[in-house]
Amino acid sequence: MSEIMQNLTGETIITVDGKKYKLGKLAGYGAQGVVYEDASEKKMIKLYYPSGSDIVEEDIIERLRFIRDVKMPKNFVDILDIVDRPYTGYVMDKVEDHKPLNSYLIQDKNMSFSEWYNQGLGLRERIFIGYIIAKAFGELERSNLSYCDISGNNILVRTSKGASIKMIDVDNIYVAGKGTAAVLGTPRYIAPEVISRQKNPDVLSDNYSLAVLLFELLRVGHPYISDDILDGTPEDEEAALAGKYEYVNDENSTNMLPADIVFTDKLKQLFERCFVNGKKKRIERPSAKEFEFALLEASNKVIKCPSCGAWHYPRKSGKVYEGCPWCDAVSKPKARLNFYDVLTEGENYRTGKIADGSRQGKIVNTYILREGKNQIKSLYILRYDDPSKDKLSAENFMTIAKNEEGYWVYNEFDKAGIVLYQYSTGKYIEIENKKAVLLQNGDCIYFEINNGDSVTIDVAGKAYSFIRKARFVEEAV
């Protein structure tokens, strides 16, 4: 039957509304059916292999109607029309100028690994693609929908003319509790409880699949496939994909990039939560939103090696920067913001002594500043782990702009409570709307977002002041 359906070019199919499409060239085929371009080359048409049962065909059409009427996030390619003659299927827009995510997951054998991994913007590009994917799945998650079939084939990517991702095969989207999922997924990404048929696909199994995909995008390996599994039997690999082996570690995963090279500490924590605790305790798996914010942070921690051009995290050994992990050449950031939580004695943070005895407070994040314009998100200023701050965390809070004179703090978005402490003068300056002030090494930006002040805390009758600040640091040449 599949051979017959791979030779339908020139035939006409009809939708449930009576609209006709002429089939153009075959674009692909798989376990469910075939995909054709229409004759105009502007639409794609997926046709399912005939089931031989009117009841099954009616169920498929009912499911397609439901998915068509669901409001999808913008990255998901909508079902436009439903086909019912002479085959069952649906019509969607053709995605132009995108390539399968697999081009980032499977090495091009015509290139060295280093050349392949670092093409384009390398690690920075991969982090940003992961961020967009996680953001899209976060939007789907909030609708209680499960994509089911996360894989490198079903996600299309464009990095030129503005970064974009598109999710195809939306016909497999599933609402938990509504019948049975059309597919379980691609074996490499299916959650263990779905492989064992203990659970139907849902948001938590999607969280697992998303984590595997992001892990592969950055490390180019699977979280359960160690060196021994890779050198073992197909049965060993099947067991590993089912989660029957332990999460890989630095000693047994030399077949992939080291975690320290491509993960931030935050990403390490999230992946460990998913593949250690979350393997059986599904509720402990990180959400798509957590990965979204962690990847956004990671994108602001990478620098470009001036020698080989590879993007990487700057690494320190004590106070000295180590070389680029790809070529060992000297590579370090020019400037950065270090974000701190500051607890001072007394009700006034400006005059109180830091309570923990440190010089700056407790460091919580770092943002590497680049040439040109740096838009600092609210997650650096607010507690992004507070669910009530989800929307604010993704908003722009302020700008650090670089020109020939240096770096400027600029209140571009009319945020209240941005106060600059000038290290050289000891003065505090409020950065008003559309105002910019030149930064000097050691200057600190305080965020008086609690009604124009810090937060006052009383502990055993003693007053303390809490505030978040960012310290501007320029590296010596």
Side-chain angles (χ1 to χ4, degrees):
M1 183 62 69
S2 63
E3 292 182 3
I4 295 174
M5 293 192 70
Q6 290 171 32
N7 293 285
L8 299 180
T9 298
E11 293 198 19
T12 299
I13 50 96
I14 305 172
T15 71
V16 293
D17 298 322
K19 190 172 182 178
K20 297 181 179 180
Y21 290 88
K22 188 174 182 180
L23 298 180
K25 67 179 181 181
L26 178 71
Y29 59 92
Q32 288 182 306
V34 295
V35 179
Y36 282 87
E37 287 187 2
D38 82 318
S40 72
E41 299 183 356
K42 294 180 180 179
K43 307 293 181 186
M44 303 298 290
I45 300 167
K46 179 173 179 177
L47 302 174
Y48 298 98
Y49 299 133
S51 66
S53 167
D54 290 342
I55 295 176
V56 171
E57 302 295 324
E58 289 171 4
D59 284 345
I60 292 173
I61 290 175
E62 180 183 355
R63 179 163 50 81
L64 292 175
R65 286 185 194 275
F66 171 80
I67 296 171
R68 182 191 61 184
D69 294 339
V70 170
K71 182 174 176 55
M72 292 287 176
K74 63 180 182 180
N75 300 95
F76 292 79
V77 180
D78 289 325
I79 292 175
L80 301 178
D81 290 308
I82 298 170
V83 177
D84 66 350
R85 287 177 287 164
Y87 301 100
T88 302
Y90 66 94
V91 180
M92 57 184 166
D93 282 326
K94 182 180 179 181
V95 180
E96 302 279 6
D97 302 322
H98 286 62
K99 60 183 178 181
L101 185 67
N102 269 346
S103 61
Y104 291 86
L105 307 179
I106 302 171
Q107 182 185 349
D108 183 343
K109 298 302 182 182
N110 295 317
M111 307 168 73
S112 69
F113 181 86
S114 175
E115 184 184 8
W116 168 74
Y117 191 90
N118 290 307
Q119 63 184 321
L121 296 180
L123 178 60
R124 183 182 176 190
E125 185 171 305
R126 289 166 177 268
I127 290 171
F128 191 69
I129 288 170
Y131 160 73
I132 300 175
I133 293 172
K135 186 175 182 180
F137 276 97
E139 294 175 8
L140 195 68
E141 184 177 291
R142 286 192 290 277
S143 301
N144 196 33
L145 297 172
S146 177
Y147 188 56
C148 292
D149 198 11
I150 296 176
S151 79
N153 282 322
N154 292 340
I155 300 176
L156 305 180
V157 181
R158 184 189 69 203
T159 54
S160 60
K161 304 176 186 176
S164 166
I165 64 160
K166 294 292 183 182
M167 315 289 191
I168 58 175
D169 277 1
V170 297
D171 54 314
N172 295 321
I173 283 177
Y174 171 69
V175 179
K178 185 178 175 64
T180 303
V183 296
L184 297 180
T186 301
R188 193 169 182 84
Y189 305 99
I190 304 175
E193 70 276 8
V194 177
I195 287 181
S196 64
R197 304 292 180 123
Q198 293 178 335
K199 297 279 186 181
N200 268 324
D202 58 12
V203 168
L204 294 177
S205 63
D206 258 15
N207 287 345
Y208 174 92
S209 300
L210 173 63
V212 176
L213 189 81
L214 296 175
F215 185 98
E216 286 200 317
L217 181 60
L218 299 179
R219 288 195 70 180
V220 195
H222 191 278
Y224 293 126
I225 298 184
S226 64
D227 296 340
D228 288 342
I229 301 300
L230 201 62
D231 293 335
T233 66
E235 290 74 23
D236 291 334
E237 182 170 333
E238 185 177 329
L241 295 178
K244 294 180 181 178
Y245 286 89
E246 297 300 312
Y247 182 41
V248 296
N249 56 52
D250 289 339
E251 287 72 36
N252 66 14
S253 59
T254 61
N255 64 84
M256 61 186 80
L257 285 169
D260 284 339
I261 300 299
V262 293
F263 291 166
T264 60
D265 288 343
K266 183 64 176 179
L267 285 171
K268 285 182 186 177
Q269 294 167 11
L270 294 182
F271 284 122
E272 187 167 326
R273 268 178 53 197
C274 184
F275 300 123
V276 178
N277 300 337
K279 181 160 62 172
K280 293 183 179 179
K281 297 178 182 177
R282 297 175 356 114
I283 198 65
E284 296 207 20
R285 294 171 186 168
S287 67
K289 176 65 70 177
E290 288 180 272
F291 272 116
E292 175 191 340
F293 287 157
L295 288 160
L296 182 59
E297 287 180 296
S299 72
N300 296 318
K301 294 183 187 296
V302 291
I303 61 174
K304 185 178 182 180
C305 174
S307 179
C308 71
W311 287 87
H312 65 94
Y313 302 116
R315 301 176 298 160
K316 268 189 170 182
S317 178
K319 295 184 178 181
V320 179
Y321 281 99
E322 298 178 3
C324 165
W326 295 95
C327 73
D328 290 327
V330 175
S331 184
K332 62 182 182 179
K334 294 180 180 179
R336 67 181 186 275
L337 290 180
N338 289 335
F339 288 84
Y340 296 87
D341 282 342
V342 184
L343 186 67
T344 58
E345 297 175 355
E347 296 182 357
N348 190 337
Y349 77 89
R350 299 189 185 190
T351 59
K353 179 182 178 182
I354 294 180
D356 64 5
S358 66
R359 294 180 60 189
Q360 302 297 338
K362 179 185 176 183
I363 190 165
V364 292
N365 220 325
T366 298
Y367 188 111
I368 303 294
L369 296 170
R370 300 195 181 100
E371 300 289 327
K373 193 173 184 179
N374 301 272
Q375 292 184 332
I376 313 298
K377 300 289 187 181
S378 293
L379 68 87
Y380 288 92
I381 289 88
L382 305 172
R383 275 186 52 216
Y384 70 89
D385 56 341
D386 182 344
S388 67
K389 299 292 194 298
D390 268 2
K391 184 174 186 298
L392 291 173
S393 295
E395 292 177 346
N396 292 321
F397 194 91
M398 67 176 185
T399 297
I400 305 291
K402 173 75 162 58
N403 65 8
E404 64 279 358
E405 295 180 64
Y407 290 90
W408 299 74
V409 55
Y410 176 41
N411 188 356
E412 182 176 3
F413 307 105
D414 192 19
K415 299 293 185 180
I418 303 177
V419 177
L420 175 66
Y421 170 75
Q422 290 184 318
Y423 180 73
S424 61
T425 66
K427 293 181 179 179
Y428 288 87
I429 302 171
E430 183 174 349
I431 311 297
E432 298 171 350
N433 182 34
K434 299 298 186 283
K435 183 177 180 180
V437 178
L438 186 64
L439 291 167
Q440 301 293 332
N441 191 34
D443 286 355
C444 293
I445 305 166
Y446 288 88
F447 304 101
E448 297 181 352
I449 57 178
N450 185 45
N451 298 319
D453 204 350
S454 55
V455 176
T456 301
I457 304 169
D458 185 88
V459 180
K462 187 173 181 179
Y464 291 88
S465 180
F466 176 83
I467 197 166
R468 178 158 288 185
K469 76 173 183 182
R471 184 168 181 261
F472 173 68
V473 179
E474 280 191 291
E475 298 289 345
V477 178

